[in-house]
Amino acid sequence: MRTLIEKELRENLRWLWVGLALIGSLVWYATPKTLVANGESAETLIASPMLLGASLFALGLGVMQSFADLRTASRSFLFHRSVSIGSIFYSKLISGAILYFAAVGIPLCLVAIWFAAQGLDYLPVRPIQVYPAAVVALACFGFHPAAMLMLARSGKWFGTKLLPLFFVIPIVAIGGITINTILHGPALHVLIVGLILLGDLILVAAAKHAWVHSVADEGSFPKQPVNLALKLTLSIAAVVFVMFSFQVVAAFGGGWLPAETSSVEEDYAIDAEGNLWWVKSKRTRTEPWLAFISGDRLQKDELPDARRELPKKLQLGHLGKLTWVGTAKRCFAGEMAWYSKDLASYFDSRGNVLLYDRTLTPPLQARITRDGAPFAGDPRSSGSEDMFFYDKSGPSFWIDPIGAYRILSPSLKVETLLELPIQAKGSETRHTSNDQGTNKVQTQEQITILSDGKLHVYRLTDKDGNEWFPDFGRGKSEFKIREIAVSPPLPPSDWKDIRYHFTDDSKFTVVLTGRRPCFLTYDSKSDTHWTVTSFRNPNKKISDDLGSLLFSVLPLLFSIVVAVSIGSDLLLSGTSLPTIDSFKCFLQDEYGYVILGTVVLLFSMIGAYFACQRRMLSRSETIRWCCWTVLLGVATPIAVLAIYTRPACVRCTGCEKKRRIDLRKCEHCGCEWERTAPMGIEIFDDGFSKSKEQQLTPELTR
Amino acid sequence: MLNDLAISAQGLTRYFGDRVVVDQLDLGVPRGSVTGLLGLNGAGKTTTLRMLMGLLTPTRGQSQLLGKDSQQLTAEDRARIGYTVEGHFLYSWMTVRQSEKFQRETFPRWNNAMFESTVRRFGIDPGQKIRVLSRGQRAGVSLALTLAAEPELLILDDPALGLDPVSRAALNETLLDFCNEGMRTVLLSSHLLDDIERVVDRVLVMVHGRLVVNTTIDDFRNRISSWSLEVPPASRAIQAIPGLVFAKQRGGRTIVTVADSDAETEAAMMRIGADSLERLPITFGEAVIAYLSQSRASDSFFANTGA
Amino acid sequence: MQIHISAGSPQSIYRQIADQIRQAIVSGNLKVGDAVPSVRQLAKELAINPNTVAKAYSELTRDGILEGLSGRGCVVASRKNVFSKAERVRRLELVLDSLVSEALTLGFSYDEIQERLVKRFEKIGPE
């Protein structure tokens, strides 16, 4: 084995330099050297080119290592020696891994060292930020055994030969999850790496099998044996191929879908008087914004009917939503809190906010702490909701579980607004029409905080107490915050799924859709202040034509993966593939997508049956594959065609039908192969002699 | 019985697409023999050897090397079998020494004296890169590597292809030296009939994927005879001679090569050209060429009927 | 004694060897008790398969021309008749038959044949 590995390394060392140049230049080009203007984090910036470079390199290396030694002469020279073909395969895999991880690891280590050397004064980066790229690289190595599997199997290049590569795509996608979950606990990362290794293991088992039974020559060949790993690999690859095709189709805008293909949502809405409605709103392919189409006013103890026609001239608006404030376990330097043209803020490892100004050197301007203590907020739940920097001179808010603060500029001192345990927060931008009749719409930021069953609302005011509308570029230096505090008459345990809306300063609506659905209306002018109305929670009926259509066509295996996937949103974010919500729509849909799904399944089964016939599988195997169609859907025929090879057929001398050349007896009439009649010139001296007197005996030997 | 055979095959068949290349080969090669495999290009020699070596799966049938199924040869089985690839493939980036090391470490036994003497016989400097060697020297390295592993069974796929006379002589000497030591079986395919006649004691002839001759070289010579008849060429009657291998025209006469000539054969020939019937001496080469020409002639015959 | 063989001749290699040894004995180049080269040695010298040499030697031994096969090598045997009188006559008749018929076919007269036979006898026969 050592000799074989040495041989592989010697033969392929030149590719290491190619790989180092490719991956090194891609990664170095992507590595942030100064503060990034668009606010992308270093892990995303490095991982994406790593995905490209590492995939290409692993694929190329696998092809190069296989191609050379699968040519007839070379293969015979290597395979006939006194070593098992398995160890030849493994030595190729191991030497490939050595070269690959050298080409991938060296640039990553250099970037990590460079990150460590930068220092937070210049760049908010830490060495750990290369970790997602490393996991992605680990996942991309799957292209190496996939390439070896691809080349060792017979098949047409424009047929199913490329299929094994598709198996690697979900492995790489799983590796890509780490980009967004770098702050999650180790359990998730162990799971991710475990899944990657499991996928690679299946692939390696399939590739080894294909190598041991490799077919050096092209052309149809009847008895290419298959094992479980190979079946698994190619079945999953076929499913991924189907998904990939849909992705490509969807990426081209779904132009093949009718313009009225829509997705319909049902939700609460509120009118100008503060009445609550249950409405249906719809977005279509050509008009991709939500439009209210029908709805019903929520009445006490009544079930609303969302299909009812809405009154004319009704002004409806959406409700705000409170999100829960989390406590940080660990903060991270690279997690970005906020950025603008010149300014950017990041959390450091202790929970301080680092404020950078791109125009100055060094760019680090301040470590902002709350009276010397770090903030307790969780950067994972952060975002623009937490801080508002309008520009250098503007005010900013910061909310964490133990208080709300305002960061004063330009002094960057922290002023404590509230010292309260904060459970939830919400922010919204209020659009207010100008009174003077001009069409200018002014926006106003407002923050709502839930603390011990009490809602606090903050708005920016100017120094005179008038409401302030931020005007970009002409910021005022000092602002006040107006607080409206209201305490709904409900125990804190009922505060779940809080939706809220301010009609104006005196009117306020809170909707609770949890265990006991009700809505509360606050009116400061009435005596009781609060009225509580309970209602019957309407069944949320939503529909998503595209998603449902895809789910009815896509293999069930994919739906199951989506359903059980811990991070289907993470996995599929950025793709056009439908997620769990669409799957719910599919199951609930009233337009017969389930029927469509069944029809598609039936056609898939017929397709699978014909694929099995084409590949001349036995009856029991055909039945088994038809059963698997339930799970693999439209991918089944592709899988069958990829896994098996079609045996060539010649005309049977017994029954005139086409018979398989690999079977001893004709599958139609059961007759054996006829020995070609001796020509009378045969000269034999051994036990297999067929001299003249034996010419008449083929019947006897049967 | 099977144990006395170093190589055996039963109904060994291989198709490429729906074209049959090796057709139901039944084969037995006794241990300790040197066997020559003869046939035209495309007769299925290389395919047969690759199937025997387990490098190609047969479409039907099976074969055994040293009593082990060709398709299930273990590393230990392969240690007992030497094989040189058609064209003497070697890693061109290696030096002769590196090739030796690679071979030595992938085979359990190693006879260094055998390697050195063979390399010397072909006049090769072991420090040279394979890339710069001549074809003959490459063959020498390939042979040295294979023989130094001390195989019990040696399968050589056209080792003499494209070699100069000196390298050919060296090849023959090397092979004979190798066979002189112990019960070693050699199967080699070749087109060089004179060399084959010197070296082998058994011959196999393949025609269109079928085995037509499998016997000792003397038995083969004894059972082949050549006759001269004064008859017009392309006479239908000639085609009817029992055991006719090949008939060709020489001057005004027709030279007929027949297998297992007996009274019936001679009677048939007498009927056609009794006055002029004459038995001719025949060399080994001519006998083989008669077989191979026959297959080519039937090719053109098929081509004519197809047209 | 030097043996030359050529491949591609109408005579098989083993026959060439056997004939040349017979010739050498008849012409006196090899005398009774002289050793002939061992099978391996001769095979190596001629670059031919040792089985071919062995086959030639075994035929010569069978015909009583060589003795002491295998191991220590072979020597030229003393002239003795391994065949019965009747067999010897039969073999001679066979050779004569073909000689006479071939000679007559070639158009030689009885006298011519006899004359040449005597000459031949004088040249290669025993003194």
PDB file of all heavy atoms in Angstrom, chain A residues 109-129:
ATOM      1  N   CYS A 109      -4.761  27.834   6.454  1.00  0.00           N
ATOM      2  CA  CYS A 109      -3.918  28.106   7.618  1.00  0.00           C
ATOM      3  C   CYS A 109      -3.275  29.471   7.487  1.00  0.00           C
ATOM      4  O   CYS A 109      -3.208  30.235   8.455  1.00  0.00           O
ATOM      5  CB  CYS A 109      -2.840  27.031   7.750  1.00  0.00           C
ATOM      6  SG  CYS A 109      -3.491  25.474   8.325  1.00  0.00           S
ATOM      7  N   LEU A 110      -2.816  29.793   6.276  1.00  0.00           N
ATOM      8  CA  LEU A 110      -2.180  31.098   6.075  1.00  0.00           C
ATOM      9  C   LEU A 110      -3.170  32.216   6.333  1.00  0.00           C
ATOM     10  O   LEU A 110      -2.843  33.215   6.978  1.00  0.00           O
ATOM     11  CB  LEU A 110      -1.606  31.188   4.652  1.00  0.00           C
ATOM     12  CG  LEU A 110      -0.402  30.293   4.400  1.00  0.00           C
ATOM     13  CD1 LEU A 110       0.078  30.440   2.957  1.00  0.00           C
ATOM     14  CD2 LEU A 110       0.737  30.638   5.366  1.00  0.00           C
ATOM     15  N   VAL A 111      -4.406  32.044   5.855  1.00  0.00           N
ATOM     16  CA  VAL A 111      -5.418  33.078   6.082  1.00  0.00           C
ATOM     17  C   VAL A 111      -5.703  33.210   7.579  1.00  0.00           C
ATOM     18  O   VAL A 111      -5.816  34.318   8.115  1.00  0.00           O
ATOM     19  CB  VAL A 111      -6.710  32.752   5.303  1.00  0.00           C
ATOM     20  CG1 VAL A 111      -7.857  33.639   5.756  1.00  0.00           C
ATOM     21  CG2 VAL A 111      -6.477  32.925   3.813  1.00  0.00           C
ATOM     22  N   ALA A 112      -5.768  32.055   8.279  1.00  0.00           N
ATOM     23  CA  ALA A 112      -6.036  32.089   9.717  1.00  0.00           C
ATOM     24  C   ALA A 112      -4.913  32.831  10.438  1.00  0.00           C
ATOM     25  O   ALA A 112      -5.163  33.662  11.324  1.00  0.00           O
ATOM     26  CB  ALA A 112      -6.176  30.673  10.260  1.00  0.00           C
ATOM     27  N   ILE A 113      -3.668  32.538  10.036  1.00  0.00           N
ATOM     28  CA  ILE A 113      -2.531  33.223  10.663  1.00  0.00           C
ATOM     29  C   ILE A 113      -2.593  34.722  10.351  1.00  0.00           C
ATOM     30  O   ILE A 113      -2.381  35.564  11.227  1.00  0.00           O
ATOM     31  CB  ILE A 113      -1.200  32.609  10.153  1.00  0.00           C
ATOM     32  CG1 ILE A 113      -1.064  31.178  10.674  1.00  0.00           C
ATOM     33  CG2 ILE A 113      -0.009  33.456  10.579  1.00  0.00           C
ATOM     34  CD1 ILE A 113       0.039  30.390  10.012  1.00  0.00           C
ATOM     35  N   TRP A 114      -2.945  35.009   9.130  1.00  0.00           N
ATOM     36  CA  TRP A 114      -3.035  36.419   8.738  1.00  0.00           C
ATOM     37  C   TRP A 114      -4.128  37.143   9.546  1.00  0.00           C
ATOM     38  O   TRP A 114      -3.950  38.268   9.987  1.00  0.00           O
ATOM     39  CB  TRP A 114      -3.325  36.502   7.242  1.00  0.00           C
ATOM     40  CG  TRP A 114      -3.173  37.875   6.686  1.00  0.00           C
ATOM     41  CD1 TRP A 114      -2.015  38.506   6.354  1.00  0.00           C
ATOM     42  CD2 TRP A 114      -4.215  38.808   6.424  1.00  0.00           C
ATOM     43  NE1 TRP A 114      -2.262  39.761   5.901  1.00  0.00           N
ATOM     44  CE2 TRP A 114      -3.608  39.984   5.923  1.00  0.00           C
ATOM     45  CE3 TRP A 114      -5.609  38.782   6.564  1.00  0.00           C
ATOM     46  CZ2 TRP A 114      -4.342  41.103   5.556  1.00  0.00           C
ATOM     47  CZ3 TRP A 114      -6.336  39.901   6.189  1.00  0.00           C
ATOM     48  CH2 TRP A 114      -5.709  41.042   5.696  1.00  0.00           C
ATOM     49  N   PHE A 115      -5.238  36.457   9.749  1.00  0.00           N
ATOM     50  CA  PHE A 115      -6.329  37.021  10.563  1.00  0.00           C
ATOM     51  C   PHE A 115      -5.837  37.303  11.972  1.00  0.00           C
ATOM     52  O   PHE A 115      -6.094  38.356  12.547  1.00  0.00           O
ATOM     53  CB  PHE A 115      -7.516  36.044  10.626  1.00  0.00           C
ATOM     54  CG  PHE A 115      -8.444  36.141   9.456  1.00  0.00           C
ATOM     55  CD1 PHE A 115      -8.207  37.037   8.427  1.00  0.00           C
ATOM     56  CD2 PHE A 115      -9.580  35.335   9.391  1.00  0.00           C
ATOM     57  CE1 PHE A 115      -9.069  37.131   7.344  1.00  0.00           C
ATOM     58  CE2 PHE A 115     -10.445  35.426   8.314  1.00  0.00           C
ATOM     59  CZ  PHE A 115     -10.187  36.321   7.298  1.00  0.00           C
ATOM     60  N   ALA A 116      -5.117  36.322  12.532  1.00  0.00           N
ATOM     61  CA  ALA A 116      -4.641  36.482  13.906  1.00  0.00           C
ATOM     62  C   ALA A 116      -3.676  37.657  13.984  1.00  0.00           C
ATOM     63  O   ALA A 116      -3.625  38.370  14.996  1.00  0.00           O
ATOM     64  CB  ALA A 116      -3.964  35.189  14.362  1.00  0.00           C
ATOM     65  N   ALA A 117      -2.919  37.849  12.916  1.00  0.00           N
ATOM     66  CA  ALA A 117      -1.902  38.904  12.945  1.00  0.00           C
ATOM     67  C   ALA A 117      -2.498  40.288  12.750  1.00  0.00           C
ATOM     68  O   ALA A 117      -1.853  41.291  13.055  1.00  0.00           O
ATOM     69  CB  ALA A 117      -0.860  38.622  11.851  1.00  0.00           C
ATOM     70  N   GLN A 118      -3.722  40.386  12.263  1.00  0.00           N
ATOM     71  CA  GLN A 118      -4.292  41.693  11.944  1.00  0.00           C
ATOM     72  C   GLN A 118      -4.548  42.544  13.179  1.00  0.00           C
ATOM     73  O   GLN A 118      -4.180  43.698  13.230  1.00  0.00           O
ATOM     74  CB  GLN A 118      -5.592  41.518  11.152  1.00  0.00           C
ATOM     75  CG  GLN A 118      -5.370  41.186   9.710  1.00  0.00           C
ATOM     76  CD  GLN A 118      -4.441  42.167   9.047  1.00  0.00           C
ATOM     77  OE1 GLN A 118      -4.739  43.350   8.950  1.00  0.00           O
ATOM     78  NE2 GLN A 118      -3.278  41.684   8.607  1.00  0.00           N
ATOM     79  N   GLY A 119      -5.176  41.943  14.175  1.00  0.00           N
ATOM     80  CA  GLY A 119      -5.530  42.731  15.349  1.00  0.00           C
ATOM     81  C   GLY A 119      -6.826  43.472  15.118  1.00  0.00           C
ATOM     82  O   GLY A 119      -7.105  43.959  14.013  1.00  0.00           O
ATOM     83  N   LEU A 120      -7.614  43.573  16.179  1.00  0.00           N
ATOM     84  CA  LEU A 120      -8.955  44.129  16.036  1.00  0.00           C
ATOM     85  C   LEU A 120      -8.938  45.616  15.714  1.00  0.00           C
ATOM     86  O   LEU A 120      -9.935  46.160  15.265  1.00  0.00           O
ATOM     87  CB  LEU A 120      -9.763  43.873  17.310  1.00  0.00           C
ATOM     88  CG  LEU A 120     -10.183  42.420  17.528  1.00  0.00           C
ATOM     89  CD1 LEU A 120     -10.918  42.268  18.839  1.00  0.00           C
ATOM     90  CD2 LEU A 120     -11.053  41.927  16.380  1.00  0.00           C
ATOM     91  N   ASP A 121      -7.796  46.269  15.942  1.00  0.00           N
ATOM     92  CA  ASP A 121      -7.746  47.695  15.638  1.00  0.00           C
ATOM     93  C   ASP A 121      -7.914  47.951  14.146  1.00  0.00           C
ATOM     94  O   ASP A 121      -8.387  49.003  13.736  1.00  0.00           O
ATOM     95  CB  ASP A 121      -6.400  48.274  16.081  1.00  0.00           C
ATOM     96  CG  ASP A 121      -6.374  48.467  17.589  1.00  0.00           C
ATOM     97  OD1 ASP A 121      -7.413  48.195  18.220  1.00  0.00           O
ATOM     98  OD2 ASP A 121      -5.328  48.863  18.122  1.00  0.00           O
ATOM     99  N   TYR A 122      -7.493  46.986  13.352  1.00  0.00           N
ATOM    100  CA  TYR A 122      -7.509  47.209  11.914  1.00  0.00           C
ATOM    101  C   TYR A 122      -8.649  46.482  11.210  1.00  0.00           C
ATOM    102  O   TYR A 122      -9.218  46.971  10.257  1.00  0.00           O
ATOM    103  CB  TYR A 122      -6.168  46.783  11.301  1.00  0.00           C
ATOM    104  CG  TYR A 122      -5.082  47.713  11.705  1.00  0.00           C
ATOM    105  CD1 TYR A 122      -4.355  47.496  12.867  1.00  0.00           C
ATOM    106  CD2 TYR A 122      -4.836  48.872  10.959  1.00  0.00           C
ATOM    107  CE1 TYR A 122      -3.377  48.394  13.267  1.00  0.00           C
ATOM    108  CE2 TYR A 122      -3.859  49.775  11.360  1.00  0.00           C
ATOM    109  CZ  TYR A 122      -3.132  49.534  12.516  1.00  0.00           C
ATOM    110  OH  TYR A 122      -2.198  50.419  12.909  1.00  0.00           O
ATOM    111  N   LEU A 123      -8.919  45.286  11.698  1.00  0.00           N
ATOM    112  CA  LEU A 123      -9.908  44.478  10.988  1.00  0.00           C
ATOM    113  C   LEU A 123     -10.621  43.590  11.995  1.00  0.00           C
ATOM    114  O   LEU A 123      -9.969  42.887  12.767  1.00  0.00           O
ATOM    115  CB  LEU A 123      -9.164  43.619   9.951  1.00  0.00           C
ATOM    116  CG  LEU A 123      -9.942  43.127   8.748  1.00  0.00           C
ATOM    117  CD1 LEU A 123     -10.539  44.281   7.977  1.00  0.00           C
ATOM    118  CD2 LEU A 123      -9.004  42.334   7.855  1.00  0.00           C
ATOM    119  N   PRO A 124     -11.945  43.602  12.009  1.00  0.00           N
ATOM    120  CA  PRO A 124     -12.652  42.753  12.981  1.00  0.00           C
ATOM    121  C   PRO A 124     -12.723  41.305  12.513  1.00  0.00           C
ATOM    122  O   PRO A 124     -13.764  40.827  12.092  1.00  0.00           O
ATOM    123  CB  PRO A 124     -14.033  43.400  13.040  1.00  0.00           C
ATOM    124  CG  PRO A 124     -14.209  44.029  11.705  1.00  0.00           C
ATOM    125  CD  PRO A 124     -12.861  44.392  11.199  1.00  0.00           C
ATOM    126  N   VAL A 125     -11.581  40.607  12.532  1.00  0.00           N
ATOM    127  CA  VAL A 125     -11.572  39.208  12.104  1.00  0.00           C
ATOM    128  C   VAL A 125     -10.840  38.370  13.141  1.00  0.00           C
ATOM    129  O   VAL A 125      -9.950  38.846  13.831  1.00  0.00           O
ATOM    130  CB  VAL A 125     -10.882  39.034  10.737  1.00  0.00           C
ATOM    131  CG1 VAL A 125     -11.767  39.510   9.620  1.00  0.00           C
ATOM    132  CG2 VAL A 125      -9.527  39.710  10.717  1.00  0.00           C
ATOM    133  N   ARG A 126     -11.236  37.099  13.202  1.00  0.00           N
ATOM    134  CA  ARG A 126     -10.568  36.145  14.090  1.00  0.00           C
ATOM    135  C   ARG A 126     -10.274  34.868  13.301  1.00  0.00           C
ATOM    136  O   ARG A 126     -10.999  34.528  12.365  1.00  0.00           O
ATOM    137  CB  ARG A 126     -11.466  35.827  15.287  1.00  0.00           C
ATOM    138  CG  ARG A 126     -11.645  37.002  16.227  1.00  0.00           C
ATOM    139  CD  ARG A 126     -12.591  36.662  17.323  1.00  0.00           C
ATOM    140  NE  ARG A 126     -12.009  35.696  18.251  1.00  0.00           N
ATOM    141  CZ  ARG A 126     -12.741  34.939  19.062  1.00  0.00           C
ATOM    142  NH1 ARG A 126     -14.046  35.030  19.037  1.00  0.00           N
ATOM    143  NH2 ARG A 126     -12.161  34.099  19.881  1.00  0.00           N
ATOM    144  N   PRO A 127      -9.204  34.142  13.693  1.00  0.00           N
ATOM    145  CA  PRO A 127      -8.825  32.935  12.926  1.00  0.00           C
ATOM    146  C   PRO A 127      -9.958  31.923  12.786  1.00  0.00           C
ATOM    147  O   PRO A 127     -10.062  31.251  11.773  1.00  0.00           O
ATOM    148  CB  PRO A 127      -7.669  32.349  13.735  1.00  0.00           C
ATOM    149  CG  PRO A 127      -7.101  33.490  14.485  1.00  0.00           C
ATOM    150  CD  PRO A 127      -8.233  34.433  14.765  1.00  0.00           C
ATOM    151  N   ILE A 128     -10.819  31.837  13.793  1.00  0.00           N
ATOM    152  CA  ILE A 128     -11.888  30.822  13.765  1.00  0.00           C
ATOM    153  C   ILE A 128     -12.805  31.028  12.557  1.00  0.00           C
ATOM    154  O   ILE A 128     -13.525  30.126  12.147  1.00  0.00           O
ATOM    155  CB  ILE A 128     -12.690  30.868  15.087  1.00  0.00           C
ATOM    156  CG1 ILE A 128     -13.668  29.711  15.210  1.00  0.00           C
ATOM    157  CG2 ILE A 128     -13.448  32.174  15.226  1.00  0.00           C
ATOM    158  CD1 ILE A 128     -13.001  28.394  15.490  1.00  0.00           C
ATOM    159  N   GLN A 129     -12.739  32.204  11.948  1.00  0.00           N
ATOM    160  CA  GLN A 129     -13.644  32.465  10.827  1.00  0.00           C
ATOM    161  C   GLN A 129     -13.297  31.663   9.576  1.00  0.00           C
ATOM    162  O   GLN A 129     -14.073  31.652   8.622  1.00  0.00           O
ATOM    163  CB  GLN A 129     -13.673  33.963  10.512  1.00  0.00           C
ATOM    164  CG  GLN A 129     -14.506  34.704  11.533  1.00  0.00           C
ATOM    165  CD  GLN A 129     -14.531  36.186  11.282  1.00  0.00           C
ATOM    166  OE1 GLN A 129     -13.562  36.863  11.554  1.00  0.00           O
ATOM    167  NE2 GLN A 129     -15.630  36.675  10.756  1.00  0.00           N
TER     168      GLN A 129
END
